[in-house]
Amino acid sequence: MAARFARIGSTWLALALLAGCATGRYAAPPAQQSYDVRSDEALIVFMRVSSFGGAISSSIFDVTGEGEQIVGIPGPNEKLAHYAEPGRRRFMVIAENADFLEAELEAGKAYYAVITPRIGAWKARFSLHPFKQSPVEPEFALGGPQHLKWLAECKLIDTPPSAAEWAANNAASIHAKRTSYVEKWSQKGSEELRARTLEAGDGLASALP
């Protein structure tokens, strides 16, 4: 993962100069500096670990139903703890593109996912990758060295009201982007889709520090 980010560093610099949407404006210090699992909900910790594309917002939504519910807008080296109802859910990250993460969540479990950048035509593109018990790529191993390193490096943030206001003001374009990319997502093969799914067994009984 580190080598992959390094190869595209110079291009991200040019993209950042073109960007008009800076990160950090929709983040706030959390009321508590730690998070624990809850018996009636599932905990999902979303991280954004790379500084590449740092001028571009990476907005996360719960798109399980017909609408798009804002989860948060983490910037580089930030993480947020989101509590969700258990069961089958779908999450989305948007920038120039939209990308998705499937999840089968159990109450009382902690799950983890990371936002990874890639180069788009004019701005950053992002993907969501789950940390799994048996990942396709080693850096996404649940509780592995890379996972623990990223957790330690990321600052915990909260989602302030301004994030919900931004989502409401941009609801039409957010929905249009979801609609544009979800068909491509639905065409993924079963193995590729499983690699991008938080399965119930990928949850931990207690949150990692």
Side-chain angles (χ1 to χ4, degrees):
M1 179 64 70
R4 182 190 308 168
F5 289 159
R7 288 196 299 270
I8 61 177
S10 60
T11 307
W12 277 124
L13 178 60
L15 289 173
L17 296 175
L18 293 171
C21 187
T23 60
R25 68 181 70 175
Y26 301 114
Q32 297 180 334
Q33 293 299 316
S34 62
Y35 43 83
D36 297 303
V37 297
R38 298 174 180 173
S39 61
D40 59 340
E41 294 179 298
L43 167 65
I44 308 177
V45 179
F46 293 97
M47 301 185 295
R48 181 174 169 185
V49 297
S50 172
S51 61
F52 296 127
I56 310 299
S57 292
S58 52
S59 311
I60 303 174
F61 297 84
D62 186 325
V63 293
T64 304
E66 293 184 0
E68 294 83 28
Q69 182 65 42
I70 186 71
V71 172
I73 310 178
N77 300 313
E78 292 179 342
K79 61 187 175 185
L80 58 90
H82 174 68
Y83 291 93
E85 292 184 8
R88 188 77 182 180
R89 310 202 70 80
R90 175 181 286 175
F91 296 93
M92 174 179 75
V93 62
I94 63 169
E96 180 182 279
N97 68 317
D99 195 51
F100 303 91
L101 176 74
E102 304 291 349
E104 185 65 50
L105 306 176
E106 287 187 6
K109 295 285 187 69
Y111 299 86
Y112 297 85
V114 62
I115 302 167
T116 61
R118 51 196 173 90
I119 297 173
W122 296 105
K123 296 193 298 184
R125 288 175 173 250
F126 295 105
S127 296
L128 279 170
H129 286 271
F131 287 96
K132 298 178 66 63
Q133 296 282 4
S134 301
V136 175
E137 299 179 75
E139 62 260 38
F140 301 130
L142 180 67
Q146 188 65 77
H147 184 194
L148 296 178
K149 178 177 182 292
W150 283 339
L151 271 176
E153 291 174 349
C154 287
K155 177 180 67 174
L156 184 65
I157 63 165
D158 204 354
T159 303
S162 57
E165 294 171 6
W166 172 85
N169 292 335
N170 293 274
S173 62
I174 292 167
H175 183 74
K177 190 159 289 186
R178 172 189 177 183
T179 302
S180 175
Y181 281 89
V182 74
E183 182 177 355
K184 180 180 178 181
W185 176 260
S186 66
Q187 294 173 355
K188 290 183 180 294
S190 59
E191 289 303 313
E192 184 179 7
L193 192 61
R194 184 175 182 181
R196 301 287 296 280
T197 297
L198 277 169
E199 299 174 281
D202 294 322
L204 299 174
S206 58
L208 294 170

